[in-house]
Amino acid sequence: MRAIRVSEYGGPEVMSWAELPDPEPRPGEVLVRLGVAGVNYMDVGVRTGPAPGWTLPAIVGVEGMGYVAALGDGVQGFTAGDRVAWYYHRGSYAERLAIPAESLVRVPENVDDETAAAVMMQGLTANHLTTETYPIRPGDTAVVHAAAGGVGLVLTQLIKARGGSVIGLVSREEKVPVAKEAGADHVIVSSGGGFEERVRDLTGGEGAHVVYDGGGAPTFRSSLAALRRHGVHAFYGPFMGVPTLTPAELPNSVLLSYPLVRDHVPTPTALLTRTAEVFGFVGDGRLRPVVGGRYALADAARAHADLESRRTVGKLLLLP
């Protein structure tokens, strides 16, 4: 098989299209033929510097969908040809993958291949952020960073589906219509901090109930300042940089939530439950992921370059 491998840290040029032995499913694993892989900022973080749980050389990528090719010993509930998807399986930029059966979910017939791949990492992240991190209630106002990006577009749609209103932040004027099409009630063009006064103006001086902040260190303090008393700052952007601060610097009247990847889907049961809800939103039309680009798997370096340029919108996908 062939896969995208990284042997040293650096720019997109360190990603090589490598010939590797086909994986063999061990007991409890399923051999999957890749259908579509998703591109995430997490993948960029793995490529550019040391990341928790990763060592080089490594095949990058953490999500996708594909087709069952073979079963390891002891696996039940899957048959050859089944369409399956996965959340956070390291090494997903590959033509063949051996994945633990408990990490796979079936893709419903009414969900196409690209949509299934596009909503796994970002859809399940957004589902957790809008239910457990801060449960959106009707009438709540949420600030969504990178509202024209993959997570931001899904967050916006899920917030609206749960009865909330959205103030979206985008980095460029041309992204404003994309965020509004997803349902954002207001869109602010901001490439860093300094948006808090505009948020307060839009909320009658009170501030937002929650800020979903994947912007990393540059947006951290403005996100705190945009909250109302006892608001929640949901900071999920560690791969974009973590700010240096002390507890004394945090406002007394706000809460800081710092969910990690394992928090979004902590158990196999959570994977099944959360995926069923996300696929349900897709099925009834309340969630429509935006595909911002399709690339050949061998051309993953160009996808990374485009993602880092901040000019793309929505989800980028890789196809073998």
Side-chain angles (χ1 to χ4, degrees), residues 96-121:
R96 299 286 188 276
L97 305 93
I99 303 176
E102 66 179 13
S103 298
L104 294 171
V105 295
R106 292 178 179 275
V107 178
E109 291 184 2
N110 64 344
V111 177
D112 63 76
D113 291 358
E114 290 191 357
T115 298
V119 300
M120 291 306 293
M121 285 294 293

Side-chain angles (χ1 to χ4, degrees), residues 33-104:
R33 174 174 60 86
L34 182 70
V36 185
V39 179
N40 296 279
Y41 277 109
M42 179 183 296
D43 308 340
V44 174
V46 170
R47 191 200 76 224
T48 55
W54 292 77
T55 58
L56 298 186
I59 300 172
V60 290
V62 290
E63 74 172 334
M65 69 76 54
Y67 312 94
V68 172
L71 304 178
D73 290 343
V75 174
Q76 297 179 343
F78 295 102
T79 59
D82 283 349
R83 293 195 308 142
V84 292
W86 56 91
Y87 170 93
Y88 198 70
H89 176 75
R90 287 177 288 181
S92 292
Y93 289 11
E95 293 176 326
R96 299 286 188 276
L97 305 93
I99 303 176
E102 66 179 13
S103 298
L104 294 171

